[in-house]
Amino acid sequence: MSTSQVNYEVLSLLLVTAAAIMSIRSFENYFKYNHQRIGLALYGVIWLQTGTGFLRPDRGSKGRSIWFSVHWLLGITVSLLGIINIYTGLQAYHTKTLRSTSVWNLTFTVEIAVIVFIYLLQQKWHYIMQSGVILGNEPVQPTDQETSSTYEKKELSAMPSSSEPC
């Protein structure tokens, strides 16, 4: 893990901890609203994921795959709870102030859609770059995999079909 990544993770943990302390001290925290409950659970899961990060087994050890699955699931949980909590917070704000939050809901929804699009695009970026350019007049070059599968199909079709093995 790079030093800058560790620094960003420590910084984000400190910011989340400061936000948790400020929200518990400054707001009515009877935890009767979903936004408050989800926020408290979110703080707990963030610290739990940090704890599992410190307990990371060495590569190749027996518990590494289990650790990876737990750490990954906790990360996904943090992401989903954070998204849900923003929407419940906007709803709570609307309920308390009677002000419209439709612009904020739309803005956040667009932001999430862009993030999901970029995430899905990066999954296929290598394939897109290997596929060739389609926009200009440049010919699309087949990949090695496509060329070899076409060659294999030609070889197989040239062979006589027989129901008996050799």
Side-chain angles (χ1 to χ4, degrees), residues 2-160:
S2 69
T3 305
S4 62
Q5 182 181 356
V6 171
N7 290 338
Y8 284 124
E9 289 174 356
V10 169
L11 178 63
S12 65
L13 183 65
L14 291 174
L15 288 173
V16 163
T17 302
I21 291 169
M22 287 173 54
S23 68
I24 289 171
R25 283 187 174 178
S26 301
F27 300 112
E28 302 169 4
N29 284 305
Y30 305 116
F31 300 106
K32 60 182 177 179
Y33 300 109
N34 287 336
H35 179 68
Q36 294 168 328
R37 291 183 194 138
I38 293 171
L40 186 62
L42 187 58
Y43 294 139
V45 174
I46 288 170
W47 272 97
L48 183 61
Q49 188 187 29
T50 302
T52 62
F54 286 117
L55 300 174
R56 179 180 57 190
D58 293 331
R59 289 182 192 246
S61 66
K62 267 188 168 182
R64 179 67 180 223
S65 62
I66 294 171
W67 172 87
F68 178 82
S69 298
V70 169
H71 191 68
W72 181 81
L73 283 172
L74 287 172
I76 295 296
T77 302
V78 165
S79 298
L80 292 177
L81 279 178
I83 291 168
I84 291 167
N85 208 30
I86 288 174
Y87 282 115
T88 59
L90 288 170
Q91 182 62 38
Y93 177 79
H94 173 71
T95 302
K96 193 169 190 171
T97 65
L98 298 176
R99 292 184 179 172
S100 175
T101 57
S102 58
V103 171
W104 292 109
N105 279 317
L106 178 65
T107 303
F108 187 62
T109 302
V110 168
E111 179 184 357
I112 293 299
V114 168
I115 290 170
V116 168
F117 176 76
I118 291 170
Y119 175 78
L120 294 174
L121 181 66
Q122 78 177 358
Q123 296 283 321
K124 297 295 182 183
W125 187 252
H126 180 72
Y127 174 77
I128 291 168
M129 298 310 292
Q130 294 291 326
S131 295
V133 179
I134 299 175
L135 300 176
N137 292 331
E138 301 170 27
V140 176
Q141 299 293 324
T143 63
D144 292 337
Q145 186 178 14
E146 291 170 341
T147 306
S148 64
S149 66
T150 304
Y151 179 72
E152 288 173 8
K153 286 178 186 173
K154 286 181 182 177
E155 277 188 347
L156 290 175
S157 65
M159 296 176 72

